[in-house]
Amino acid sequence: MSICSKIYEGKAKILYTTDDPEVLLTEFKDDATAFNAQKHGSILGKGVINCSISSKLFQELEKRGIKTHYLDSPAANQMRVIRVKIIPLEVVVRNIAAGSLCQQTGLPLGTVLKKPLVEFYYKDDSLGDPLLTRDRLYLLELASPEQVDTITHLALQINEFLGDFFQGCGITLVDFKLEFGVDSQQQLLLADEISPDTCRLWDTSFKEDPDRRVLDKDRFRRDLGNVENAYQEVLQRVLKAVKINT
Ligand code: UDP
């Protein structure tokens, strides 16, 4: 496989075309941003760690019948993926109240939700990724009702798998964000990444300690320190769990 040209550079990843028009190469960067790119920084080793965690999780999801864009990982910070047209929705699944849910509803941080909440945000930085109602989503024709139903079903299935998987790693899955895309065969595929950048992950051993428990990007957002260690810790636990499962 030869890399052809850069087609997109985002906050955390660079996308390249390859000699196969159906295949793209994603390179994960160490760069980190938060608060709609108002805060910039770098997390040493993040590119390799997030690529490795995402690759493992996509492979585990594939084994359970969830179709993803993942093909393989030719280098530690690179992933070959099926080319998709990304649906401009950030699909957030929440098990425990945190982040914007607390800010916008007043629910106390850490409230365990009676059932998982699936939310859709409009993936548009210039608008600040606003929370969408179903009617606004359809008004903007971001996805069809069938796609929304399928995405909701998949998001809940993925939540069930990831929740159990992370529980086995001594980690509580608080919430996470997914993106989906459509390939040239019109198949809906899970895309983007699943990593400490896109999930809230709390160390189960320190459940009651609001700073110590954090193993995700909130360490960077909230200047909690030890960001690299937390990301590395998640990777080590994921690798161990995958090994035990096989
Ligand atoms: N999230 C993400 N990208 C975004 C916004 C949110 O990966 O652009 C993830 C975030 O890391 C968290 C979940 O989605 O795991 C819910 O985020 P929330 O809406 O609470 O927003 P935040 O408080 O992170 O701004």
Side-chain angles (χ1 to χ4, degrees):
M1 177 205 59
S2 62
I3 297 175
C4 298
S5 59
K6 190 198 270 195
I7 47 169
Y8 171 78
E9 178 156 6
K11 288 171 272 190
K13 295 188 283 295
I14 306 174
L15 267 186
Y16 298 94
T17 57
T18 66
D19 44 17
D20 182 339
E22 304 283 337
V23 174
L24 297 179
L25 185 85
T26 309
E27 197 170 277
F28 287 65
K29 303 197 289 183
D30 286 357
D31 297 359
T33 60
F35 311 118
N36 203 11
Q38 285 173 54
K39 178 173 176 155
H40 284 265
S42 176
I43 301 171
L44 193 69
K46 178 170 86 75
V48 166
I49 294 171
N50 281 1
C51 183
S52 307
I53 294 172
S54 283
S55 298
K56 292 295 178 198
L57 294 177
F58 281 146
Q59 287 173 75
E60 292 299 311
L61 285 165
E62 288 276 356
K63 283 186 206 162
R64 286 152 185 88
I66 307 273
K67 291 195 172 77
T68 79
H69 70 159
Y70 177 82
L71 290 171
D72 55 24
S73 179
N77 66 336
Q78 291 179 344
M79 196 189 278
R80 279 188 342 121
V81 299
I82 298 168
R83 188 178 198 142
V84 293
K85 190 171 187 299
I86 292 285
I87 297 172
L89 291 176
E90 299 201 333
V91 182
V92 170
V93 185
R94 301 177 188 274
N95 298 300
I96 294 176
S100 68
L101 180 64
C102 296
Q103 284 150 24
Q104 293 169 8
T105 65
L107 268 179
L109 174 68
T111 307
V112 177
L113 308 187
K114 287 208 179 91
K115 59 178 189 142
L117 179 65
V118 180
E119 296 181 317
F120 296 92
Y121 293 79
Y122 188 13
K123 191 172 146 62
D124 186 320
D125 285 340
S126 66
L127 297 172
D129 297 342
L131 176 64
L132 290 167
T133 62
R134 292 284 165 117
D135 286 344
R136 284 190 182 183
L137 190 161
Y138 298 139
L139 171 77
L140 298 172
E141 298 182 355
L142 301 177
S144 67
E146 295 71 34
Q147 279 177 325
V148 171
D149 284 349
T150 309
I151 287 172
T152 305
H153 180 71
L154 284 170
L156 289 170
Q157 259 187 293
I158 294 165
N159 181 47
E160 214 158 285
F161 163 70
L162 288 179
D164 289 348
F165 180 87
F166 279 118
Q167 200 59 44
C169 299
I171 292 172
T172 304
L173 178 63
V174 174
D175 60 29
F176 59 98
K177 185 260 304 179
L178 300 172
E179 293 183 27
F180 291 86
V182 179
D183 72 5
S184 62
Q185 317 294 311
Q186 297 310 306
Q187 278 201 110
L188 185 73
L189 303 180
L190 176 64
D192 196 47
E193 65 179 284
I194 304 174
S195 73
D197 268 9
T198 62
C199 302
R200 280 198 173 90
L201 304 168
W202 290 354
D203 192 334
T204 318
S205 319
F206 306 112
K207 225 175 175 173
E208 304 309 324
D209 186 329
D211 292 350
R212 204 159 166 203
R213 68 188 175 195
V214 176
L215 291 174
D216 56 67
K217 199 169 157 187
D218 275 347
R219 296 209 77 82
F220 170 76
R221 292 190 188 100
R222 295 169 46 205
D223 294 318
L224 295 176
N226 286 322
V227 189
E228 284 87 1
N229 292 348
Y231 276 60
Q232 190 60 247
E233 180 67 29
V234 175
L235 173 61
Q236 293 314 318
R237 294 195 201 183
V238 165
L239 292 177
K240 198 170 157 199
V242 169
K243 223 175 193 178
I244 291 167
N245 288 346
T246 49

